[in-house]
Amino acid sequence: MHGVHNEGLIDLFARTTDDIVSLEEFRALLDSRRQLRIKFGADVTAPFLHLGHAVNLWMMREMQERGHQVQFLIGDFTTRIGDPTGRSTGRPERSQADIEHDAAAFLEQIAAVLITDNPALFTVRRNAEWWGAATAADLVQRLGAVTVSRLQSRDMFRSRQESGSEVRMHELIYPVLQGWDSVELASDLTIVGSDQLFNESMGRFFQERQGQQAQVIITTKITPGLDGVKKQSKSLNNFVALADSPRDKFGKIMSLADALVVQWLQVYTTLPLPEIEQIDQGLAAGSLHPMEAKRILAQALVERYHGRPAAAAEDRWFRETFSERAFPADAPQLCLRPGRIKLLDLLVLLAPDQSRSELRRLLLSGAVLLGAEKLADPQQLLDFPEGSCHEVKLGRRRHFRLLVQEE
RNA sequence: GGAGAGAUUCCCGAGUGGUCAAAGGGGGCAGACUGUAAAUCUGUUGGCUCAGCCUUCGAAGGUUCAAAUCCUUCUCUCUCCA
């Protein structure tokens, strides 16, 4: 009966899994009924976790629910070197202080998904523990196990060499270091993006060599970001961050390319597959408006991270504000002294982060509403009597309520 | 160590003495349209006391009435040779 339970898990994982090395070994691990150690190695360079990262985290959470332990490995040693994955050029090295700062931010974000406050289910390790203590002889010995051609066979290294850009020694060695970490942790399982398969395979290699059971590697699917083309990344600004507010999560989903809704439902929510299938058919047949499908997605997602009430509230807010164009009830309120003020000066008060030139342009393009009236003259003098209240709309998304009173 | 190439406004990338606040694309923002913060179209995208002025083209100097464009030095990046 335990086996049946585990089959359920494998089905659940199938939804977001790209590949398992190997499925048989994974089954055997689950059947062993012991607590498994899950290696969660983090390159803490950019502590901005998005939905893509969360896919792996949710799978680990699922394992925690079954009593297994996530070993969060801060790559404080390896981060100083810089993982060359996906880089066309080497990364700059980083200071220990930067790394610690980023690690703390990282931990805070994964707490949105993982259980981090139970030591039986979550521990923190640092690979400087062993790499800091290793001697040159240790390193050379470990390097001796691996052939250069094997390291060079990695696509990324090959393409860099072919295109004439350089590969530095420490980058070449990176997979060895990351692989050895699995030995030190005695890792049973690791769940990573498919771009990490090569590095984690080195882990299996070293574990076997050291007489350990090789870790199982589950790689996950990489899903395109909001633009529908590239994977989510900070620099492309096409991601939904775990740290985003419920409102931003909802809004960003509504700006997702329509064609991606079904895929996102599959990967980023736990909505039952038959329901997703229905949505897919509805969209294809035209009986379901794309916006409705996106609302379902946005609600499911906000609910997953912030709970059902938040999801319902944000859905209502979005409908009222964008579909019905109502002035949102929770718009930020500002107090203003009674008297005359130039329109442009008023805007500067409302949006102090923008330059006057920017605001002037906004004004001229017709983006400013006072009540229902469109205002476009920067020099216009407005007269606000004591006690009056006004609604100001600045573009599509910014709303302010003005209270005029003597302070 | 030797020989070349290059550093441009958020990003990519034109621009080789005045017509350059600097083409084009991307991204952003805004307007129209829309049951979407989709798609599409249009506009806009250094700052300000805004029909004018000020500050930008790796850094510092210099030539010139005038420089992103020429000269000198420096810093960094890349390519090739050994």
Side-chain angles (χ1 to χ4, degrees):
Chain A
M1 54 242 134
H2 205 76
V4 173
H5 182 63
N6 287 336
E7 282 306 316
L9 181 72
I10 287 169
D11 285 345
L12 188 67
F13 276 12
R15 192 156 156 175
T16 47
T17 295
D18 184 43
D19 198 14
I20 302 184
V21 184
S22 65
L23 183 56
E24 294 67 36
E25 290 174 36
F26 186 44
R27 282 214 177 89
L29 275 184
L30 293 172
D31 288 342
S32 73
R33 313 189 69 159
R34 65 179 174 82
Q35 188 189 39
L36 301 178
R37 286 177 298 270
I38 302 156
K39 173 190 181 187
F40 173 31
D43 184 37
V44 293
T45 3
F48 265 89
L49 297 192
H50 53 63
L51 292 182
H53 300 116
V55 167
N56 302 355
L57 295 176
W58 282 112
M59 290 167 85
M60 288 185 238
R61 168 66 185 255
E62 215 47 64
M63 296 299 287
Q64 285 183 312
E65 298 286 348
R66 287 164 173 74
H68 303 296
Q69 184 185 59
V70 169
Q71 301 198 326
F72 177 48
L73 175 64
I74 297 173
D76 55 348
F77 188 84
T78 34
T79 298
R80 268 183 271 163
I81 293 173
D83 177 8
T85 299
R87 298 272 153 173
S88 51
T89 54
R91 277 184 192 175
E93 298 179 17
R94 310 183 63 246
S95 78
Q96 186 68 30
D98 288 344
I99 291 170
E100 289 305 322
H101 177 266
D102 287 353
F106 200 97
L107 201 53
E108 196 181 311
Q109 291 174 64
I110 61 176
V113 179
L114 292 182
I115 299 166
T116 57
D117 54 2
N118 179 346
L121 300 180
F122 186 85
T123 60
V124 180
R125 304 290 298 274
R126 283 152 212 278
N127 66 4
E129 279 175 41
W130 48 89
W131 284 114
T135 63
D138 293 330
L139 177 62
V140 171
Q141 196 200 14
R142 285 162 204 172
L143 288 173
V146 187
T147 64
V148 171
S149 68
R150 172 162 187 175
L151 292 178
Q152 283 181 323
S153 70
R154 211 178 162 192
D155 294 349
M156 182 259 318
F157 285 139
R158 213 185 302 158
S159 64
R160 264 166 70 175
Q161 280 180 318
E162 277 165 13
S163 72
S165 66
E166 55 194 16
V167 175
R168 308 232 169 202
M169 284 298 288
H170 67 286
E171 297 179 291
L172 195 63
I173 285 172
Y174 193 93
V176 173
L177 302 187
Q178 186 173 333
W180 185 262
D181 288 341
S182 295
V183 173
E184 295 286 349
L185 293 175
S187 163
D188 293 307
L189 168 68
T190 189
I191 301 174
V192 294
S194 46
D195 57 345
Q196 289 295 316
L197 180 59
F198 182 91
N199 289 356
E200 289 304 329
S201 295
M202 290 303 299
R204 283 174 64 86
F205 172 77
F206 276 113
Q207 285 179 302
E208 278 169 2
R209 223 181 128 80
Q210 297 301 118
Q212 285 183 17
Q213 169 101 45
Q215 64 183 353
V216 167
I217 305 170
I218 297 181
T219 60
T220 53
K221 290 176 184 163
I222 291 185
T223 303
L226 291 170
D227 55 10
V229 185
K230 301 267 179 58
K231 70 175 183 178
Q232 297 187 64
S233 89
K234 194 179 156 197
S235 53
L236 294 172
N237 197 27
N238 65 345
F239 60 93
V240 178
L242 295 189
D244 279 338
S245 68
R247 181 153 303 169
D248 275 345
K249 284 196 181 85
F250 201 101
K252 282 182 177 181
I253 298 280
M254 294 309 285
S255 80
L256 177 70
D258 285 358
L260 275 136
V261 181
V262 170
Q263 192 182 351
W264 275 49
L265 277 167
Q266 254 171 45
V267 177
Y268 294 140
T269 74
T270 51
L271 206 67
L273 289 175
E275 285 183 38
I276 295 177
E277 178 59 24
Q278 272 189 344
I279 291 171
D280 194 15
Q281 286 172 2
L283 285 171
S287 58
L288 180 68
H289 193 287
M291 187 207 60
E292 288 300 340
K294 267 197 270 190
R295 270 182 64 204
I296 295 170
L297 172 65
Q299 284 186 73
L301 217 120
V302 172
E303 183 179 335
R304 192 175 197 187
Y305 290 94
H306 304 282
R308 187 180 285 274
E314 290 313 326
D315 180 52
R316 191 177 336 109
W317 188 89
F318 189 89
R319 266 204 334 273
E320 287 173 358
T321 307
F322 294 109
S323 302
E324 295 159 24
R325 313 259 162 128
F327 197 86
D330 59 356
Q333 225 172 57
L334 274 107
C335 285
L336 188 70
R337 293 174 172 233
R340 301 183 144 227
I341 185 167
K342 255 196 234 168
L343 180 51
L344 187 58
D345 291 327
L346 175 66
L347 295 188
V348 171
L349 289 178
L350 297 178
D353 52 315
Q354 283 186 286
S355 72
R356 294 175 75 86
S357 297
E358 270 179 297
L359 291 169
R360 182 187 305 272
R361 269 181 242 120
L362 270 182
L363 217 41
L364 293 176
S365 63
V368 178
L369 289 181
L370 177 64
E373 194 186 352
K374 190 173 275 193
L375 302 179
D377 175 12
Q379 300 305 322
Q380 180 174 354
L381 273 175
L382 300 168
D383 206 355
F384 292 111
E386 163 95 47
S388 61
C389 183
H390 309 267
E391 294 173 343
V392 181
K393 194 174 166 206
L394 190 54
R396 281 187 264 207
R397 279 142 76 174
R398 278 178 295 177
H399 309 264
F400 302 92
R401 204 176 293 281
L402 276 184
L403 263 176
V404 184
Q405 59 184 30
E406 204 70 68
E407 265 143 295

